Structure formats: C-alpha cells, structure tokens
Amino acid sequence: IDAPTMSDPTVISNLRMLSSLGLPFDLCVRASQIPDVARLVASCPEVTFVLDHCATPRGQDCKLQWWCDAFSD
C-alpha cells in the first residue's frame, strides 16, 4: 500500500467498515512508510491494525534510532 492509497478517502472509508465487521487490517509495509502508516491509523481509530514484522528496517548497517523514533510519534 503506497502513500497516495493510504490517504485516499475511499480507502479510509472502506477500512472503517472493518471495525463493524470485527475484522482487523494487516499492514505489511517498509520501515520508510511508518509516517504514512501512522497517519492512516490515526484516521481510523476504531480499526484494529496489525503491523506485520514491525516494519523491520533492512540492511546490516542499519541504524535503528530513526526506526525507534518513528514509533514514538
């Protein structure tokens, strides 16, 4: 799911329907998408989201501080 899709009003409306059905929404995203995902989740507070694999950053030389900071927002 890309940033434009995450902010699409139709997508947000459809995601909100999941709550009334008792269904969660799994997010399989890259670590770089965390800010966009945070905005999506904030726009659908009634929906249960599952962040698959914790949006794990890739690469052996990855510095994790930016990843931790992204989750603190």
Side-chain angles (χ1 to χ4, degrees):
I1 188 167
D2 59 14
T5 302
M6 284 189 249
S7 61
D8 182 291
T10 302
V11 171
I12 292 169
S13 176
N14 290 339
L15 283 172
R16 288 180 175 152
M17 286 187 230
L18 294 175
S19 179
S20 64
L21 299 170
L23 298 172
F25 186 78
D26 282 45
L27 293 162
C28 187
V29 298
R30 294 182 177 104
S32 61
Q33 294 174 292
I34 293 171
D36 296 318
V37 167
R39 285 188 288 278
L40 173 65
V41 170
S43 69
C44 302
E46 66 279 9
V47 177
T48 299
F49 288 91
V50 177
L51 183 58
D52 295 336
H53 308 289
C54 292
T56 307
R58 294 182 179 203
Q60 292 180 358
D61 61 348
C62 178
K63 305 283 190 246
L64 291 179
Q65 189 57 52
W66 68 267
W67 182 80
C68 294
D69 292 344
F71 284 102
S72 67
D73 291 338

